Amino acid sequence: MAKIRSTTVVGIYHNGEVCVGADGQATMDKHVAKSNVKKIRKLLDGKIVTGFAGSTADAFTLLERFEEKLNAYQSNMKRAAIELAKDWRKDQYLRKLEAMMVVANKEELLIISGTGDVLEPDNQIAAIGSGSMFAHAAALALKKHAPHLSAEEMVRESLNIAADICIYTNHNLVIEKPTK
């Protein structure tokens, strides 16, 4: 059975602004299965933006569990992420899920990994998925050499650079910012 894969998600916190974006490609084996997948979701009326990579069904399961934790912990994103990670490590069903998430609010940017870890990324850049190394490298360069750009501009350009290089990433971008 061919595995569906291929996602590039990047989140950047820069100059007091956070933005998360993703490409739209899903690849099955060596073929593009879909070119306009929406991998970015808003939670809590837009206060939190998430991007996911990995198995779509697994990602939606994690997204639902994360939203439950947000509701249980009064919208405290970091606490919800940590509690989800605890469940992920303990629950046999969750441990089999193959997905990762970037989650962001106005103040924080986190990666929730497929091993149940919660990471605060270095340099305030979070990147996951097949093209993540390309997008991450581009974002680092933009933060260093083009600090006048907004977080949204950096996310867009990082994803476009990744799409130019990575065969598993396309230019159909969805980019979102959390609201207050």
Side-chain angles (χ1 to χ4, degrees), residues 92-168:
Q92 280 188 322
Y93 173 72
L94 284 178
R95 275 188 287 188
K96 294 178 183 177
L97 298 181
E98 296 180 12
M100 295 180 74
M101 292 176 26
V102 170
V103 297
N105 62 20
K106 289 292 247 181
E107 296 85 33
E108 296 176 293
L109 182 64
L110 302 171
I111 297 172
I112 304 173
S113 80
T115 56
D117 293 314
V118 177
L119 307 169
E120 292 181 273
D122 290 337
N123 304 305
Q124 299 176 320
I125 300 167
I128 59 173
S130 304
S132 64
M133 293 175 291
F134 303 113
H136 190 264
L140 282 170
L142 290 168
K143 280 191 103 165
K144 182 176 181 179
H145 299 290
H148 62 281
L149 295 177
S150 69
E152 183 174 355
E153 291 168 322
M154 288 182 180
V155 165
R156 183 175 312 285
E157 191 58 27
S158 296
L159 287 167
N160 279 321
I161 289 168
D164 289 343
I165 300 168
C166 178
I167 63 169
Y168 298 112

Side-chain angles (χ1 to χ4, degrees), residues 54-69:
S55 163
T56 304
D58 290 354
F60 278 110
T61 298
L62 288 174
L63 193 60
E64 288 171 10
R65 296 283 181 108
F66 181 61
E67 194 163 23
E68 288 170 10
K69 295 296 182 189

Side-chain angles (χ1 to χ4, degrees), residues 8 10 20-25 35-40 152-153 155-163 169-176:
T8 303
V10 65
V20 179
D23 76 309
Q25 184 166 307
S35 64
N36 61 350
V37 179
K38 187 175 180 212
K39 303 166 192 170
I40 302 294
E152 183 174 355
E153 291 168 322
V155 165
R156 183 175 312 285
E157 191 58 27
S158 296
L159 287 167
N160 279 321
I161 289 168
T169 305
N170 70 16
H171 289 277
N172 294 339
L173 309 180
V174 174
I175 299 171
E176 296 283 357

